[in-house]
Amino acid sequence: IFMGVIKPNIGLPPEPYARLAYQAWLGGLDIAMDDELIADSNWSSLADRCRALTELRIKAEGETGQRKIFQANITDEVQILIPHHDLAVQLGANALMLNSMTVGLSACRMLRSHAQVPLVSHFDLYGAMTQIPFQGIRERVFIKLQRMSGFDAILFSGFDSRMKSTTEDVLANVGACLSPMGNLKPSLPIPAGSQWAGSIKPLYDALGSFDFAVVPGRGVFEHPLGPRGGAMSLHQAWNAIKLGVDMNDFAINNEELRLAIESR
């Protein structure tokens, strides 16, 4: 599943924000998502953002013949989560995201019992509790708790060096999403952090399956050909993997992938 964090985001009004998502959807992005820093603000209200994104999501579905998703961040005070859910879903958001460790797991469980669309957890605040070597808790523990709280998909620190996660940690986090846990359903693992077309194969090789989502930000929305080209580069990289062809060789006849490689 190809996701994309719409960028730039802070300070960008809903209409140009939605146009970025629209271009990425046309290029093959499955899910356009709010950044974890986006909230219900006076310059980009949740309602205005959902209206704008839904209009263009439906348009993109008509033009591509593919189902698309807008994943709205509804993180806020606990008493506003259910009203935010109802508003976002009514206005067309077909997935919702929470900064789960900031709103609290009890709030997440409350929302899960009410939710009508998939819920995705973002990993902000993890670093303060997992990255200090002499204190804290392993990230995999938080992931298990979020899975128990009912999240359908869970973002966590990926293999990128700025995430400061070891390969062992990332694989353990994937296992926390997918391994049997009583009667709980698995959650889709989303290793995050500076993803782009070139990071798909290492991710696929390390995980040994395609049960994961790729979640670029700049890799799609700062592509030299714009969001449409960025999304196309992801599909071209995946096609190279499926065909067993070296990505650099495949890029010779695929401009979007070539430019993605050259711009790194």
Side-chain angles (χ1 to χ4, degrees), residues 66-169:
Q66 300 169 343
R67 180 77 185 274
K68 304 295 181 181
I69 291 177
F70 168 51
Q71 181 177 301
N73 182 11
I74 64 167
T75 301
D76 212 309
E77 299 290 348
V78 173
Q79 69 270 20
I80 306 177
L81 293 181
I82 287 180
H84 272 356
H85 166 282
D86 293 347
L87 176 67
V89 172
Q90 178 187 356
L91 295 176
N94 45 358
L96 299 176
M97 186 174 78
L98 279 180
N99 299 340
S100 60
M101 302 310 293
T102 53
V103 302
L105 294 173
S106 181
C108 298
R109 285 173 54 83
M110 174 196 69
L111 185 64
R112 173 75 276 171
S113 67
H114 179 80
Q116 301 170 20
V117 297
L119 293 182
V120 181
S121 175
H122 199 281
F123 64 107
D124 64 317
L125 202 64
Y126 275 19
M129 299 180 284
T130 64
Q131 294 292 350
I132 300 174
F134 50 83
Q135 69 176 36
I137 302 171
R138 290 284 193 183
E139 198 169 14
R140 69 198 70 166
V141 177
F142 291 123
I143 290 173
K144 288 183 179 181
L145 291 171
Q146 290 168 81
R147 185 175 165 190
M148 293 168 67
S149 299
F151 282 101
D152 299 287
I154 301 172
L155 283 94
F156 51 85
S157 304
F159 292 107
D160 184 73
S161 59
R162 73 183 179 90
M163 295 287 102
K164 297 181 172 59
S165 293
T166 66
T167 297
E168 176 192 9
D169 285 336

Side-chain angles (χ1 to χ4, degrees), residues 161-237:
S161 59
R162 73 183 179 90
M163 295 287 102
K164 297 181 172 59
S165 293
T166 66
T167 297
E168 176 192 9
D169 285 336
V170 177
L171 295 178
N173 294 340
V174 172
C177 289
L178 299 176
S179 299
M181 285 183 67
N183 63 351
L184 292 180
K185 295 178 181 179
S187 300
L188 180 72
I190 312 175
S194 299
Q195 298 292 329
W196 68 292
S199 62
I200 300 175
K201 189 176 191 306
L203 201 56
Y204 175 67
D205 289 343
L207 302 186
S209 81
F210 47 77
D211 288 330
F212 65 92
V214 178
V215 57
R218 291 169 294 163
V220 168
F221 292 96
E222 293 184 9
H223 188 276
L225 296 180
R228 186 169 186 168
M232 290 176 68
S233 74
L234 301 180
H235 283 274
Q236 291 165 0

